[in-house]
Amino acid sequence: MGPRSRLGVFIAVSGAISVLALVAPTEMSDPVVLLWSLLCSVLMITAARRHRGTTRRTAWLLAGAASLTAIGFLVRGIHGEMVGEPQPMPSPADFIHIPAYVLFVLTALHVHRSRSTRRDLDAWLDAAALILALFIMMWVTFLGDFVLDSSLDPGLRVLNSVYNLLIYSAGTVFLRITSTPGHRPVSYYILGVAGIAYIVSDIAATYSLARGTGLTLAVALSPIVYGLAAAAIRHPSAAMLAVPHEEEELRVGSLRLFIVALTILTPLITFGHDGGRVSSLVLICSASLLAGLVVTRVVRLLRQQQEASDLDRALSTELAQLAALDSASAIVARIPDAAERLL
């Protein structure tokens, strides 16, 4: 079976199990989802053993995160049967799931460091602004009510905040990877879709805690996350996943600037949702921090444009002066001074 056929099998099986999770009773679908998660974890471990070089560590980190998450699902299910709740929280499973989240963050960081050979503060500012805008939207729509509800168990609220902090951290690094120059093989895009599904699934799980609905979506996305992650690690192009592109210039596309510009509108949207009132100090601080990130990004962009303009003028001046010289020896003598001025 070729790579495309294997990928098709993973997608088909993952999609079928996701549909089952949406339409079938939980007593029927949950065991199937769990078995698929465990199977994909085993497949990822066997694939990680075959990898070499930088990708080997990436594969092992991802396989470890997936395996711990699947085991956590199993432990939480057993705990739920014992206490009579479908998804108990806090639970002993949290001692397994939190390290799994940490491994997911470490996986994203490792991929970023492997693919990126240059420091790019602007890309980090863009990613942080977008994630902060997402946090503000979540805080106003459902997260704030949940965290500030004093009638809920404090342990539950603190634990959920820890999970959210980890998923926001992973999301920031994930967005940073998307703006990193480098080889983008098929496995890169497969893993990217899996990462998006993972983040959406976690947000749906948080929403289910706050509103009592949405857990079905989180469970339904789980097979897709596992299937695509396993397919990405087992794909032949995975060997190129962590290979940087040394000669590619860092570019800021119009779409990236447009998305970052939209983040500044997030506080206005949230104020409208809240009837024009600021409901929490957290929202005020977050909106202020978001504005600071966007302003810093714009200032740095304007400064870079000014530096590029100054360099262009200096280069034109030096070329004109070199062209005015009447001998080759004078041009050669002038070159060191010209290079020093430009550099």
PDB file of all heavy atoms in Angstrom, residues 210-228:
ATOM      1  N   ALA A 210     -18.241  24.808  30.826  1.00  0.00           N
ATOM      2  CA  ALA A 210     -18.886  26.070  31.184  1.00  0.00           C
ATOM      3  C   ALA A 210     -20.376  26.082  30.868  1.00  0.00           C
ATOM      4  O   ALA A 210     -21.170  26.662  31.615  1.00  0.00           O
ATOM      5  CB  ALA A 210     -18.194  27.223  30.453  1.00  0.00           C
ATOM      6  N   ARG A 211     -20.767  25.442  29.775  1.00  0.00           N
ATOM      7  CA  ARG A 211     -22.157  25.527  29.320  1.00  0.00           C
ATOM      8  C   ARG A 211     -22.911  24.203  29.373  1.00  0.00           C
ATOM      9  O   ARG A 211     -24.109  24.160  29.115  1.00  0.00           O
ATOM     10  CB  ARG A 211     -22.192  26.072  27.884  1.00  0.00           C
ATOM     11  CG  ARG A 211     -21.723  27.518  27.760  1.00  0.00           C
ATOM     12  CD  ARG A 211     -22.749  28.460  28.374  1.00  0.00           C
ATOM     13  NE  ARG A 211     -22.408  29.851  28.132  1.00  0.00           N
ATOM     14  CZ  ARG A 211     -21.832  30.639  29.021  1.00  0.00           C
ATOM     15  NH1 ARG A 211     -21.511  30.151  30.216  1.00  0.00           N
ATOM     16  NH2 ARG A 211     -21.568  31.902  28.736  1.00  0.00           N
ATOM     17  N   GLY A 212     -22.203  23.118  29.654  1.00  0.00           N
ATOM     18  CA  GLY A 212     -22.873  21.829  29.743  1.00  0.00           C
ATOM     19  C   GLY A 212     -23.170  21.185  28.413  1.00  0.00           C
ATOM     20  O   GLY A 212     -23.869  20.174  28.349  1.00  0.00           O
ATOM     21  N   THR A 213     -22.662  21.746  27.326  1.00  0.00           N
ATOM     22  CA  THR A 213     -22.848  21.176  25.998  1.00  0.00           C
ATOM     23  C   THR A 213     -21.582  21.404  25.187  1.00  0.00           C
ATOM     24  O   THR A 213     -20.780  22.284  25.510  1.00  0.00           O
ATOM     25  CB  THR A 213     -24.042  21.830  25.277  1.00  0.00           C
ATOM     26  OG1 THR A 213     -24.229  21.219  24.001  1.00  0.00           O
ATOM     27  CG2 THR A 213     -23.806  23.314  25.072  1.00  0.00           C
ATOM     28  N   GLY A 214     -21.395  20.613  24.143  1.00  0.00           N
ATOM     29  CA  GLY A 214     -20.202  20.754  23.320  1.00  0.00           C
ATOM     30  C   GLY A 214     -19.212  19.623  23.490  1.00  0.00           C
ATOM     31  O   GLY A 214     -18.242  19.526  22.737  1.00  0.00           O
ATOM     32  N   LEU A 215     -19.455  18.744  24.474  1.00  0.00           N
ATOM     33  CA  LEU A 215     -18.526  17.643  24.699  1.00  0.00           C
ATOM     34  C   LEU A 215     -18.525  16.671  23.525  1.00  0.00           C
ATOM     35  O   LEU A 215     -17.499  16.073  23.202  1.00  0.00           O
ATOM     36  CB  LEU A 215     -18.883  16.912  25.994  1.00  0.00           C
ATOM     37  CG  LEU A 215     -17.928  15.789  26.421  1.00  0.00           C
ATOM     38  CD1 LEU A 215     -16.528  16.344  26.650  1.00  0.00           C
ATOM     39  CD2 LEU A 215     -18.447  15.102  27.686  1.00  0.00           C
ATOM     40  N   THR A 216     -19.677  16.515  22.868  1.00  0.00           N
ATOM     41  CA  THR A 216     -19.755  15.605  21.723  1.00  0.00           C
ATOM     42  C   THR A 216     -18.797  16.021  20.620  1.00  0.00           C
ATOM     43  O   THR A 216     -18.136  15.183  19.998  1.00  0.00           O
ATOM     44  CB  THR A 216     -21.196  15.565  21.176  1.00  0.00           C
ATOM     45  OG1 THR A 216     -22.085  15.151  22.214  1.00  0.00           O
ATOM     46  CG2 THR A 216     -21.298  14.593  20.014  1.00  0.00           C
ATOM     47  N   LEU A 217     -18.692  17.330  20.374  1.00  0.00           N
ATOM     48  CA  LEU A 217     -17.768  17.819  19.353  1.00  0.00           C
ATOM     49  C   LEU A 217     -16.326  17.513  19.745  1.00  0.00           C
ATOM     50  O   LEU A 217     -15.517  17.108  18.899  1.00  0.00           O
ATOM     51  CB  LEU A 217     -17.948  19.323  19.166  1.00  0.00           C
ATOM     52  CG  LEU A 217     -16.974  20.005  18.191  1.00  0.00           C
ATOM     53  CD1 LEU A 217     -17.119  19.412  16.798  1.00  0.00           C
ATOM     54  CD2 LEU A 217     -17.206  21.511  18.169  1.00  0.00           C
ATOM     55  N   ALA A 218     -15.994  17.702  21.023  1.00  0.00           N
ATOM     56  CA  ALA A 218     -14.635  17.416  21.482  1.00  0.00           C
ATOM     57  C   ALA A 218     -14.290  15.944  21.282  1.00  0.00           C
ATOM     58  O   ALA A 218     -13.191  15.603  20.826  1.00  0.00           O
ATOM     59  CB  ALA A 218     -14.489  17.805  22.953  1.00  0.00           C
ATOM     60  N   VAL A 219     -15.233  15.070  21.617  1.00  0.00           N
ATOM     61  CA  VAL A 219     -15.002  13.630  21.453  1.00  0.00           C
ATOM     62  C   VAL A 219     -14.924  13.265  19.973  1.00  0.00           C
ATOM     63  O   VAL A 219     -14.096  12.446  19.560  1.00  0.00           O
ATOM     64  CB  VAL A 219     -16.116  12.826  22.152  1.00  0.00           C
ATOM     65  CG1 VAL A 219     -15.950  11.336  21.886  1.00  0.00           C
ATOM     66  CG2 VAL A 219     -16.101  13.095  23.652  1.00  0.00           C
ATOM     67  N   ALA A 220     -15.763  13.894  19.145  1.00  0.00           N
ATOM     68  CA  ALA A 220     -15.788  13.574  17.719  1.00  0.00           C
ATOM     69  C   ALA A 220     -14.512  14.004  17.010  1.00  0.00           C
ATOM     70  O   ALA A 220     -14.090  13.372  16.032  1.00  0.00           O
ATOM     71  CB  ALA A 220     -16.999  14.236  17.063  1.00  0.00           C
ATOM     72  N   LEU A 221     -13.885  15.072  17.478  1.00  0.00           N
ATOM     73  CA  LEU A 221     -12.647  15.534  16.856  1.00  0.00           C
ATOM     74  C   LEU A 221     -11.439  14.699  17.274  1.00  0.00           C
ATOM     75  O   LEU A 221     -10.420  14.687  16.584  1.00  0.00           O
ATOM     76  CB  LEU A 221     -12.396  17.002  17.209  1.00  0.00           C
ATOM     77  CG  LEU A 221     -13.275  18.032  16.498  1.00  0.00           C
ATOM     78  CD1 LEU A 221     -13.015  19.421  17.059  1.00  0.00           C
ATOM     79  CD2 LEU A 221     -13.010  18.011  14.998  1.00  0.00           C
ATOM     80  N   SER A 222     -11.558  14.008  18.391  1.00  0.00           N
ATOM     81  CA  SER A 222     -10.433  13.225  18.903  1.00  0.00           C
ATOM     82  C   SER A 222      -9.926  12.178  17.908  1.00  0.00           C
ATOM     83  O   SER A 222      -8.712  12.063  17.695  1.00  0.00           O
ATOM     84  CB  SER A 222     -10.827  12.564  20.226  1.00  0.00           C
ATOM     85  OG  SER A 222      -9.783  11.767  20.724  1.00  0.00           O
ATOM     86  N   PRO A 223     -10.797  11.383  17.261  1.00  0.00           N
ATOM     87  CA  PRO A 223     -10.282  10.406  16.284  1.00  0.00           C
ATOM     88  C   PRO A 223      -9.556  11.058  15.113  1.00  0.00           C
ATOM     89  O   PRO A 223      -8.593  10.492  14.585  1.00  0.00           O
ATOM     90  CB  PRO A 223     -11.552   9.682  15.814  1.00  0.00           C
ATOM     91  CG  PRO A 223     -12.559   9.922  16.875  1.00  0.00           C
ATOM     92  CD  PRO A 223     -12.257  11.268  17.433  1.00  0.00           C
ATOM     93  N   ILE A 224     -10.016  12.247  14.709  1.00  0.00           N
ATOM     94  CA  ILE A 224      -9.357  12.951  13.607  1.00  0.00           C
ATOM     95  C   ILE A 224      -7.957  13.381  14.020  1.00  0.00           C
ATOM     96  O   ILE A 224      -6.993  13.253  13.254  1.00  0.00           O
ATOM     97  CB  ILE A 224     -10.205  14.161  13.177  1.00  0.00           C
ATOM     98  CG1 ILE A 224     -11.542  13.686  12.611  1.00  0.00           C
ATOM     99  CG2 ILE A 224      -9.460  15.012  12.158  1.00  0.00           C
ATOM    100  CD1 ILE A 224     -12.481  14.803  12.229  1.00  0.00           C
ATOM    101  N   VAL A 225      -7.834  13.896  15.247  1.00  0.00           N
ATOM    102  CA  VAL A 225      -6.519  14.307  15.748  1.00  0.00           C
ATOM    103  C   VAL A 225      -5.562  13.126  15.751  1.00  0.00           C
ATOM    104  O   VAL A 225      -4.431  13.214  15.245  1.00  0.00           O
ATOM    105  CB  VAL A 225      -6.646  14.904  17.165  1.00  0.00           C
ATOM    106  CG1 VAL A 225      -5.261  15.200  17.737  1.00  0.00           C
ATOM    107  CG2 VAL A 225      -7.493  16.167  17.142  1.00  0.00           C
ATOM    108  N   TYR A 226      -6.011  12.008  16.302  1.00  0.00           N
ATOM    109  CA  TYR A 226      -5.140  10.836  16.398  1.00  0.00           C
ATOM    110  C   TYR A 226      -4.826  10.251  15.026  1.00  0.00           C
ATOM    111  O   TYR A 226      -3.673   9.888  14.734  1.00  0.00           O
ATOM    112  CB  TYR A 226      -5.795   9.775  17.289  1.00  0.00           C
ATOM    113  CG  TYR A 226      -5.462   9.940  18.742  1.00  0.00           C
ATOM    114  CD1 TYR A 226      -6.281  10.682  19.580  1.00  0.00           C
ATOM    115  CD2 TYR A 226      -4.316   9.370  19.280  1.00  0.00           C
ATOM    116  CE1 TYR A 226      -5.972  10.847  20.916  1.00  0.00           C
ATOM    117  CE2 TYR A 226      -3.997   9.532  20.611  1.00  0.00           C
ATOM    118  CZ  TYR A 226      -4.828  10.271  21.430  1.00  0.00           C
ATOM    119  OH  TYR A 226      -4.506  10.441  22.751  1.00  0.00           O
ATOM    120  N   GLY A 227      -5.837  10.153  14.177  1.00  0.00           N
ATOM    121  CA  GLY A 227      -5.612   9.567  12.862  1.00  0.00           C
ATOM    122  C   GLY A 227      -4.650  10.380  12.019  1.00  0.00           C
ATOM    123  O   GLY A 227      -3.728   9.831  11.394  1.00  0.00           O
ATOM    124  N   LEU A 228      -4.821  11.701  12.007  1.00  0.00           N
ATOM    125  CA  LEU A 228      -3.942  12.554  11.210  1.00  0.00           C
ATOM    126  C   LEU A 228      -2.536  12.615  11.797  1.00  0.00           C
ATOM    127  O   LEU A 228      -1.545  12.652  11.060  1.00  0.00           O
ATOM    128  CB  LEU A 228      -4.536  13.957  11.104  1.00  0.00           C
ATOM    129  CG  LEU A 228      -5.819  14.079  10.281  1.00  0.00           C
ATOM    130  CD1 LEU A 228      -6.297  15.527  10.246  1.00  0.00           C
ATOM    131  CD2 LEU A 228      -5.610  13.562   8.865  1.00  0.00           C
TER     132      LEU A 228
END
